[in-house]
């Protein structure tokens, strides 16, 4: 039996605790999962996993060792013929503890301890799946990045308008700045012209107004 933790034991004596943990292990192997207190689940885990390690050996000495702890021969048969082969590729961590809240009445913290029967993925399979996911991610991002560019090029500009250029300067013949968010335009020399970033350029005020833009601050401010 693994070295017991410090502090009071679960039962009234070491023998009582050992019998209690053996009975819990037997119930766990029979039902594959049981509900108990968090303290008992943590004490049960090393006992049950050590019995599974004996069962994985599969020889007569291991079976006799397990029969010293488990009294039900049908459960021992289940452990050696079903549970141990299912965990043959698993190097450890045969049980899982899940906390489920406190019990009504004494408010004791409860948990579910269960056997981990899922098949184990090999390191090669995990590495290959990670590599495939890494190569697929850039391929999915490329069309997504190309979509806004295609949408921008396909958008038709109003008459007398010009799209912004990379340098940020006014295109030749287009000096009026337009702001798509506020739908306002700014002429050179006006109050907010220098601090406004053009989202679209117009050649004349008439072109801007025809596109639905209004003079920022009123017509008097854009003269």
């Amino acid at each position: 039996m693994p070295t017991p933790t410090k502090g009071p034991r679960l039962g009234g004596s070491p023998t009582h605790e050992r019998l209690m943990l053996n009975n819990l292990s037997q119930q766990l192997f029979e039902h594959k999962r049981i509900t108990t207190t968090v303290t008992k689940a943590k004490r049960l885990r090393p006992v049950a996993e050590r019995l599974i390690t004996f069962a994985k050996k599969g020889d007569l000495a291991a079976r006799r060792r397990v029969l010293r702890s488990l009294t039900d021969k049908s459960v021992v048969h289940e452990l050696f013929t079903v549970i141990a082969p299912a965990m043959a590729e698993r190097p450890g961590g045969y049980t899982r503890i899940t906390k489920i809240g406190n019990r009504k009445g004494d408010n004791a913290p409860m948990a579910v301890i269960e056997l981990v029967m899922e098949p184990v993925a090999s390191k090669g399979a995990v590495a290959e799946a990670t590599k495939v996911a890494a190569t697929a991610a850039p391929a999915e991002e490329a069309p997504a990045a190309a979509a806004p560019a295609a949408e921008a090029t396909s958008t038709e500009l109003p008459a007398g308008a010009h799209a912004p250029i990379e340098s940020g300067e006014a295109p030749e013949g287009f000096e009026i700045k337009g702001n798509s968010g506020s739908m306002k335009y700014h002429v050179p020399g006006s109050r907010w012209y220098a601090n406004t970033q053009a989202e679209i350029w117009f050649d004349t005020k008439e072109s801007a107004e025809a596109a639905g833009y209004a003079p920022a601050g009123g017509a008097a401010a854009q003269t």
Side-chain angles (χ1 to χ4, degrees):
M1 176 179 174
T3 303
T5 58
K6 295 181 180 180
R9 294 180 179 273
L10 296 178
S13 65
T15 304
H16 187 191
E17 182 186 58
R18 183 170 63 252
L19 292 175
M20 184 184 300
L21 294 177
N22 289 340
N23 288 335
L24 287 173
S25 300
Q26 187 164 286
Q27 294 297 315
L28 176 62
F29 297 145
E30 181 178 358
H31 302 288
K32 306 302 184 295
R33 59 181 293 164
I34 59 174
T35 301
T36 183
T37 62
V38 174
T39 302
K40 288 181 180 178
K42 290 181 178 179
R43 293 286 189 92
L44 173 61
R45 167 178 274 176
V47 177
E49 292 192 356
R50 188 179 184 188
L51 294 176
I52 294 174
T53 302
F54 279 120
K56 288 175 66 175
K57 295 180 180 179
D59 54 7
L60 181 59
R63 187 177 291 267
R64 287 175 175 172
R65 172 62 184 81
V66 172
L67 282 170
R68 288 165 51 187
S69 302
L70 306 181
T71 57
D72 192 338
K73 293 184 179 180
S74 63
V75 174
V76 175
H77 179 75
E78 176 83 5
L79 176 61
F80 275 78
T81 58
V82 178
I83 298 175
M87 299 185 179
E89 301 298 328
R90 187 176 293 277
Y94 308 126
T95 58
R96 179 191 299 120
I97 296 177
T98 305
K99 296 181 179 180
I100 58 174
N102 295 353
R103 181 170 56 192
K104 291 184 178 180
D106 59 356
N107 204 35
M110 303 296 291
V112 172
I113 180 170
E114 57 186 337
L115 299 177
V116 183
M117 305 289 289
E118 295 85 357
V120 180
S122 62
K123 292 183 178 179
V126 173
E128 184 177 355
T130 304
K131 183 178 180 181
V132 171
T135 54
E140 294 177 357
E141 293 176 359
E151 183 179 355
T153 55
S154 61
T155 303
E156 295 183 1
L157 294 174
H162 195 288
I165 58 179
E166 294 182 1
S167 63
E169 298 179 355
E172 185 177 357
F174 297 83
E175 296 182 348
I176 299 178
K177 295 181 178 180
N179 189 291
S180 301
S182 62
M183 294 299 290
K184 305 290 184 179
Y185 68 84
H186 306 262
V187 299
S190 60
R191 179 179 178 183
W192 302 287
Y193 185 85
N195 297 327
T196 300
Q197 182 177 2
E199 297 177 355
I200 189 172
W201 295 89
F202 294 99
D203 53 357
T204 62
K205 293 190 293 184
E206 289 76 11
S207 299
E209 293 175 358
Y213 287 75
Q222 301 296 329
T223 57

